[in-house]
Amino acid sequence: MNNKKISILGFSADENSSYLKGCADAPPIIMKAFNSNATNKFSENGIDLGMENLWTYQSFSKIPSGKKGFQLIRDAIYQELKTGKQCISIGGDHSITYPIIDAYNHYFQNINILHFDAHPDLYDNFENNPYSHASPFARILENNLSKKLIQIGIRTMNHHQLEQANKYKVQVIDMKNFESNIKLDFNGPVYISIDLDGLDPSFAPGVSHPEPGGLSTRDVLSIVSDVKEDVIGADIVEYNPKKDLNNITAITAAKFLKELSSKLLA
Ligand code: MN
Ligand code: MN
């Protein structure tokens, strides 16, 4: 398993959420589920994340909105990558992915992004906030920070975002065309971004923008497990504890954290 180490970073950020706040409270709740004695720390491919020194956790509370928040997140990721660690970020809303990918571009080339979401998050300008959680992939693509973006689970595509998707040659796998044995074609290192609302609300009710007719937890786990290329980092975003039921979304986020960690270590 070599000397790889995971850095888990909790970003308490929801200033760029357009509809509801609450995602800022997510990181400690996901970590509590991750560390809960209700489960063990073995991933499905047999890596024991309970072993010492495989991962560290740091939390960044009260991330400011706009450029200041962007810089804080980018610098935090940059510092961890500099020491050779691999980062998994816990949101926070989806706005955190843009500064994270910006930092990754200092260390990696030709980054492919595998993005799970009900929403394409490609708005050129949403409510006059370039850092909006509805726009991270527009910012990433217009700045040439990703060579290839594959979106899975999309079921809210509108005219504007379809134009954006075509303009930036995004591979959109709409939920209505989704098949669970899907084969994906990457060309370079892969970063994985999981917006929990990509899941069906029955699997993940604790989100600000629930959209019925989505992915199952197993769909996401299988697709992640099937990625053959180097996975270089990941984020889990949009958990809103205010909307959760019986903690199920936190437990699901913690499951993704466990499986993504083992994918990065493998
Ligand atoms: Mn979403
Ligand atoms: Mn999103």
PDB file of all heavy atoms in Angstrom, residues 181-204:
ATOM      1  N   ASN A 181     -24.357  -0.337 -15.328  1.00  0.00           N
ATOM      2  CA  ASN A 181     -23.113  -0.987 -15.781  1.00  0.00           C
ATOM      3  C   ASN A 181     -22.298  -0.089 -16.716  1.00  0.00           C
ATOM      4  O   ASN A 181     -21.509  -0.560 -17.529  1.00  0.00           O
ATOM      5  CB  ASN A 181     -23.431  -2.310 -16.477  1.00  0.00           C
ATOM      6  CG  ASN A 181     -24.293  -2.103 -17.714  1.00  0.00           C
ATOM      7  OD1 ASN A 181     -24.786  -0.990 -17.951  1.00  0.00           O
ATOM      8  ND2 ASN A 181     -24.477  -3.147 -18.505  1.00  0.00           N
ATOM      9  N   ILE A 182     -22.487   1.208 -16.567  1.00  0.00           N
ATOM     10  CA  ILE A 182     -21.854   2.194 -17.423  1.00  0.00           C
ATOM     11  C   ILE A 182     -20.327   2.070 -17.426  1.00  0.00           C
ATOM     12  O   ILE A 182     -19.721   1.774 -16.404  1.00  0.00           O
ATOM     13  CB  ILE A 182     -22.274   3.588 -16.925  1.00  0.00           C
ATOM     14  CG1 ILE A 182     -21.796   4.667 -17.850  1.00  0.00           C
ATOM     15  CG2 ILE A 182     -21.761   3.876 -15.521  1.00  0.00           C
ATOM     16  CD1 ILE A 182     -22.468   5.980 -17.547  1.00  0.00           C
ATOM     17  N   LYS A 183     -19.722   2.274 -18.605  1.00  0.00           N
ATOM     18  CA  LYS A 183     -18.249   2.254 -18.712  1.00  0.00           C
ATOM     19  C   LYS A 183     -17.777   3.670 -19.043  1.00  0.00           C
ATOM     20  O   LYS A 183     -18.271   4.297 -19.959  1.00  0.00           O
ATOM     21  CB  LYS A 183     -17.807   1.295 -19.821  1.00  0.00           C
ATOM     22  CG  LYS A 183     -18.054  -0.171 -19.468  1.00  0.00           C
ATOM     23  CD  LYS A 183     -16.987  -0.735 -18.526  1.00  0.00           C
ATOM     24  CE  LYS A 183     -17.339  -2.101 -17.977  1.00  0.00           C
ATOM     25  NZ  LYS A 183     -18.274  -2.059 -16.814  1.00  0.00           N
ATOM     26  N   LEU A 184     -16.830   4.154 -18.270  1.00  0.00           N
ATOM     27  CA  LEU A 184     -16.350   5.521 -18.445  1.00  0.00           C
ATOM     28  C   LEU A 184     -14.941   5.519 -19.019  1.00  0.00           C
ATOM     29  O   LEU A 184     -14.144   4.637 -18.730  1.00  0.00           O
ATOM     30  CB  LEU A 184     -16.358   6.260 -17.105  1.00  0.00           C
ATOM     31  CG  LEU A 184     -17.715   6.335 -16.414  1.00  0.00           C
ATOM     32  CD1 LEU A 184     -17.575   6.967 -15.039  1.00  0.00           C
ATOM     33  CD2 LEU A 184     -18.721   7.100 -17.264  1.00  0.00           C
ATOM     34  N   ASP A 185     -14.672   6.536 -19.814  1.00  0.00           N
ATOM     35  CA  ASP A 185     -13.400   6.621 -20.499  1.00  0.00           C
ATOM     36  C   ASP A 185     -12.645   7.865 -20.014  1.00  0.00           C
ATOM     37  O   ASP A 185     -13.022   8.989 -20.337  1.00  0.00           O
ATOM     38  CB  ASP A 185     -13.699   6.721 -22.007  1.00  0.00           C
ATOM     39  CG  ASP A 185     -12.499   6.361 -22.830  1.00  0.00           C
ATOM     40  OD1 ASP A 185     -11.560   5.764 -22.274  1.00  0.00           O
ATOM     41  OD2 ASP A 185     -12.488   6.709 -24.024  1.00  0.00           O
ATOM     42  N   PHE A 186     -11.605   7.647 -19.216  1.00  0.00           N
ATOM     43  CA  PHE A 186     -10.793   8.777 -18.742  1.00  0.00           C
ATOM     44  C   PHE A 186      -9.463   8.774 -19.473  1.00  0.00           C
ATOM     45  O   PHE A 186      -9.023   7.764 -19.993  1.00  0.00           O
ATOM     46  CB  PHE A 186     -10.553   8.669 -17.234  1.00  0.00           C
ATOM     47  CG  PHE A 186     -11.814   8.753 -16.421  1.00  0.00           C
ATOM     48  CD1 PHE A 186     -12.348   7.620 -15.823  1.00  0.00           C
ATOM     49  CD2 PHE A 186     -12.474   9.960 -16.272  1.00  0.00           C
ATOM     50  CE1 PHE A 186     -13.514   7.692 -15.089  1.00  0.00           C
ATOM     51  CE2 PHE A 186     -13.642  10.033 -15.532  1.00  0.00           C
ATOM     52  CZ  PHE A 186     -14.161   8.894 -14.941  1.00  0.00           C
ATOM     53  N   ASN A 187      -8.835   9.940 -19.440  1.00  0.00           N
ATOM     54  CA  ASN A 187      -7.545  10.073 -20.100  1.00  0.00           C
ATOM     55  C   ASN A 187      -6.669  10.967 -19.227  1.00  0.00           C
ATOM     56  O   ASN A 187      -6.554  12.156 -19.461  1.00  0.00           O
ATOM     57  CB  ASN A 187      -7.788  10.674 -21.494  1.00  0.00           C
ATOM     58  CG  ASN A 187      -6.526  10.730 -22.306  1.00  0.00           C
ATOM     59  OD1 ASN A 187      -5.490  10.203 -21.889  1.00  0.00           O
ATOM     60  ND2 ASN A 187      -6.598  11.377 -23.447  1.00  0.00           N
ATOM     61  N   GLY A 188      -6.125  10.375 -18.161  1.00  0.00           N
ATOM     62  CA  GLY A 188      -5.330  11.155 -17.215  1.00  0.00           C
ATOM     63  C   GLY A 188      -5.808  10.894 -15.804  1.00  0.00           C
ATOM     64  O   GLY A 188      -6.715  10.097 -15.576  1.00  0.00           O
ATOM     65  N   PRO A 189      -5.198  11.582 -14.822  1.00  0.00           N
ATOM     66  CA  PRO A 189      -5.585  11.374 -13.428  1.00  0.00           C
ATOM     67  C   PRO A 189      -7.015  11.845 -13.180  1.00  0.00           C
ATOM     68  O   PRO A 189      -7.493  12.770 -13.833  1.00  0.00           O
ATOM     69  CB  PRO A 189      -4.583  12.227 -12.643  1.00  0.00           C
ATOM     70  CG  PRO A 189      -4.094  13.252 -13.612  1.00  0.00           C
ATOM     71  CD  PRO A 189      -4.141  12.605 -14.968  1.00  0.00           C
ATOM     72  N   VAL A 190      -7.685  11.188 -12.220  1.00  0.00           N
ATOM     73  CA  VAL A 190      -9.113  11.451 -11.996  1.00  0.00           C
ATOM     74  C   VAL A 190      -9.348  12.045 -10.602  1.00  0.00           C
ATOM     75  O   VAL A 190      -8.861  11.526  -9.592  1.00  0.00           O
ATOM     76  CB  VAL A 190      -9.936  10.145 -12.130  1.00  0.00           C
ATOM     77  CG1 VAL A 190     -11.415  10.406 -11.862  1.00  0.00           C
ATOM     78  CG2 VAL A 190      -9.754   9.540 -13.517  1.00  0.00           C
ATOM     79  N   TYR A 191     -10.080  13.139 -10.580  1.00  0.00           N
ATOM     80  CA  TYR A 191     -10.568  13.747  -9.339  1.00  0.00           C
ATOM     81  C   TYR A 191     -12.078  13.464  -9.269  1.00  0.00           C
ATOM     82  O   TYR A 191     -12.783  13.597 -10.263  1.00  0.00           O
ATOM     83  CB  TYR A 191     -10.303  15.255  -9.361  1.00  0.00           C
ATOM     84  CG  TYR A 191     -10.783  15.956  -8.112  1.00  0.00           C
ATOM     85  CD1 TYR A 191      -9.935  16.161  -7.028  1.00  0.00           C
ATOM     86  CD2 TYR A 191     -12.106  16.401  -8.015  1.00  0.00           C
ATOM     87  CE1 TYR A 191     -10.381  16.788  -5.873  1.00  0.00           C
ATOM     88  CE2 TYR A 191     -12.561  17.028  -6.861  1.00  0.00           C
ATOM     89  CZ  TYR A 191     -11.694  17.216  -5.796  1.00  0.00           C
ATOM     90  OH  TYR A 191     -12.143  17.829  -4.654  1.00  0.00           O
ATOM     91  N   ILE A 192     -12.557  13.067  -8.082  1.00  0.00           N
ATOM     92  CA  ILE A 192     -13.971  12.690  -7.945  1.00  0.00           C
ATOM     93  C   ILE A 192     -14.700  13.693  -7.055  1.00  0.00           C
ATOM     94  O   ILE A 192     -14.279  13.959  -5.924  1.00  0.00           O
ATOM     95  CB  ILE A 192     -14.087  11.267  -7.347  1.00  0.00           C
ATOM     96  CG1 ILE A 192     -13.401  10.245  -8.273  1.00  0.00           C
ATOM     97  CG2 ILE A 192     -15.563  10.894  -7.136  1.00  0.00           C
ATOM     98  CD1 ILE A 192     -13.361   8.826  -7.719  1.00  0.00           C
ATOM     99  N   SER A 193     -15.788  14.248  -7.566  1.00  0.00           N
ATOM    100  CA  SER A 193     -16.585  15.208  -6.801  1.00  0.00           C
ATOM    101  C   SER A 193     -18.003  14.650  -6.625  1.00  0.00           C
ATOM    102  O   SER A 193     -18.731  14.459  -7.601  1.00  0.00           O
ATOM    103  CB  SER A 193     -16.636  16.552  -7.547  1.00  0.00           C
ATOM    104  OG  SER A 193     -17.341  17.512  -6.792  1.00  0.00           O
ATOM    105  N   ILE A 194     -18.359  14.380  -5.374  1.00  0.00           N
ATOM    106  CA  ILE A 194     -19.683  13.810  -5.103  1.00  0.00           C
ATOM    107  C   ILE A 194     -20.572  14.851  -4.431  1.00  0.00           C
ATOM    108  O   ILE A 194     -20.384  15.196  -3.263  1.00  0.00           O
ATOM    109  CB  ILE A 194     -19.595  12.553  -4.202  1.00  0.00           C
ATOM    110  CG1 ILE A 194     -18.711  11.481  -4.852  1.00  0.00           C
ATOM    111  CG2 ILE A 194     -21.005  12.002  -3.928  1.00  0.00           C
ATOM    112  CD1 ILE A 194     -18.560  10.210  -4.012  1.00  0.00           C
ATOM    113  N   ASP A 195     -21.539  15.362  -5.188  1.00  0.00           N
ATOM    114  CA  ASP A 195     -22.616  16.170  -4.606  1.00  0.00           C
ATOM    115  C   ASP A 195     -23.683  15.163  -4.157  1.00  0.00           C
ATOM    116  O   ASP A 195     -24.200  14.387  -4.970  1.00  0.00           O
ATOM    117  CB  ASP A 195     -23.158  17.127  -5.668  1.00  0.00           C
ATOM    118  CG  ASP A 195     -24.281  18.028  -5.154  1.00  0.00           C
ATOM    119  OD1 ASP A 195     -25.050  17.588  -4.268  1.00  0.00           O
ATOM    120  OD2 ASP A 195     -24.414  19.145  -5.678  1.00  0.00           O
ATOM    121  N   LEU A 196     -23.988  15.175  -2.863  1.00  0.00           N
ATOM    122  CA  LEU A 196     -24.877  14.142  -2.327  1.00  0.00           C
ATOM    123  C   LEU A 196     -26.284  14.201  -2.915  1.00  0.00           C
ATOM    124  O   LEU A 196     -27.023  13.210  -2.847  1.00  0.00           O
ATOM    125  CB  LEU A 196     -24.913  14.235  -0.802  1.00  0.00           C
ATOM    126  CG  LEU A 196     -23.579  13.820  -0.144  1.00  0.00           C
ATOM    127  CD1 LEU A 196     -23.509  14.322   1.294  1.00  0.00           C
ATOM    128  CD2 LEU A 196     -23.387  12.313  -0.188  1.00  0.00           C
ATOM    129  N   ASP A 197     -26.661  15.338  -3.529  1.00  0.00           N
ATOM    130  CA  ASP A 197     -27.990  15.371  -4.142  1.00  0.00           C
ATOM    131  C   ASP A 197     -28.034  14.624  -5.478  1.00  0.00           C
ATOM    132  O   ASP A 197     -29.106  14.470  -6.075  1.00  0.00           O
ATOM    133  CB  ASP A 197     -28.547  16.792  -4.242  1.00  0.00           C
ATOM    134  CG  ASP A 197     -27.830  17.687  -5.240  1.00  0.00           C
ATOM    135  OD1 ASP A 197     -27.354  17.208  -6.280  1.00  0.00           O
ATOM    136  OD2 ASP A 197     -27.762  18.912  -4.973  1.00  0.00           O
ATOM    137  N   GLY A 198     -26.876  14.133  -5.938  1.00  0.00           N
ATOM    138  CA  GLY A 198     -26.882  13.220  -7.083  1.00  0.00           C
ATOM    139  C   GLY A 198     -27.600  11.916  -6.748  1.00  0.00           C
ATOM    140  O   GLY A 198     -28.212  11.279  -7.598  1.00  0.00           O
ATOM    141  N   LEU A 199     -27.515  11.547  -5.456  1.00  0.00           N
ATOM    142  CA  LEU A 199     -28.261  10.381  -4.983  1.00  0.00           C
ATOM    143  C   LEU A 199     -29.752  10.676  -4.994  1.00  0.00           C
ATOM    144  O   LEU A 199     -30.174  11.835  -4.891  1.00  0.00           O
ATOM    145  CB  LEU A 199     -27.836  10.031  -3.556  1.00  0.00           C
ATOM    146  CG  LEU A 199     -26.401   9.550  -3.345  1.00  0.00           C
ATOM    147  CD1 LEU A 199     -26.138   9.361  -1.858  1.00  0.00           C
ATOM    148  CD2 LEU A 199     -26.153   8.252  -4.094  1.00  0.00           C
ATOM    149  N   ASP A 200     -30.544   9.626  -5.064  1.00  0.00           N
ATOM    150  CA  ASP A 200     -31.980   9.795  -4.884  1.00  0.00           C
ATOM    151  C   ASP A 200     -32.244  10.276  -3.454  1.00  0.00           C
ATOM    152  O   ASP A 200     -31.553   9.854  -2.519  1.00  0.00           O
ATOM    153  CB  ASP A 200     -32.671   8.450  -5.121  1.00  0.00           C
ATOM    154  CG  ASP A 200     -34.170   8.633  -5.193  1.00  0.00           C
ATOM    155  OD1 ASP A 200     -34.650   8.991  -6.287  1.00  0.00           O
ATOM    156  OD2 ASP A 200     -34.839   8.455  -4.157  1.00  0.00           O
ATOM    157  N   PRO A 201     -33.226  11.163  -3.258  1.00  0.00           N
ATOM    158  CA  PRO A 201     -33.506  11.656  -1.900  1.00  0.00           C
ATOM    159  C   PRO A 201     -33.837  10.545  -0.898  1.00  0.00           C
ATOM    160  O   PRO A 201     -33.701  10.748   0.313  1.00  0.00           O
ATOM    161  CB  PRO A 201     -34.703  12.593  -2.101  1.00  0.00           C
ATOM    162  CG  PRO A 201     -34.637  13.003  -3.533  1.00  0.00           C
ATOM    163  CD  PRO A 201     -34.026  11.848  -4.281  1.00  0.00           C
ATOM    164  N   SER A 202     -34.246   9.376  -1.384  1.00  0.00           N
ATOM    165  CA  SER A 202     -34.502   8.268  -0.453  1.00  0.00           C
ATOM    166  C   SER A 202     -33.203   7.743   0.157  1.00  0.00           C
ATOM    167  O   SER A 202     -33.209   7.188   1.255  1.00  0.00           O
ATOM    168  CB  SER A 202     -35.254   7.137  -1.156  1.00  0.00           C
ATOM    169  OG  SER A 202     -34.513   6.658  -2.251  1.00  0.00           O
ATOM    170  N   PHE A 203     -32.094   7.904  -0.560  1.00  0.00           N
ATOM    171  CA  PHE A 203     -30.789   7.494  -0.040  1.00  0.00           C
ATOM    172  C   PHE A 203     -30.106   8.627   0.711  1.00  0.00           C
ATOM    173  O   PHE A 203     -29.284   8.380   1.591  1.00  0.00           O
ATOM    174  CB  PHE A 203     -29.866   7.050  -1.179  1.00  0.00           C
ATOM    175  CG  PHE A 203     -30.281   5.775  -1.847  1.00  0.00           C
ATOM    176  CD1 PHE A 203     -31.122   5.795  -2.955  1.00  0.00           C
ATOM    177  CD2 PHE A 203     -29.849   4.552  -1.362  1.00  0.00           C
ATOM    178  CE1 PHE A 203     -31.506   4.622  -3.573  1.00  0.00           C
ATOM    179  CE2 PHE A 203     -30.227   3.374  -1.973  1.00  0.00           C
ATOM    180  CZ  PHE A 203     -31.063   3.402  -3.084  1.00  0.00           C
ATOM    181  N   ALA A 204     -30.401   9.860   0.320  1.00  0.00           N
ATOM    182  CA  ALA A 204     -29.724  11.017   0.905  1.00  0.00           C
ATOM    183  C   ALA A 204     -30.703  12.191   1.012  1.00  0.00           C
ATOM    184  O   ALA A 204     -30.676  13.112   0.197  1.00  0.00           O
ATOM    185  CB  ALA A 204     -28.516  11.404   0.044  1.00  0.00           C
TER     186      ALA A 204
END
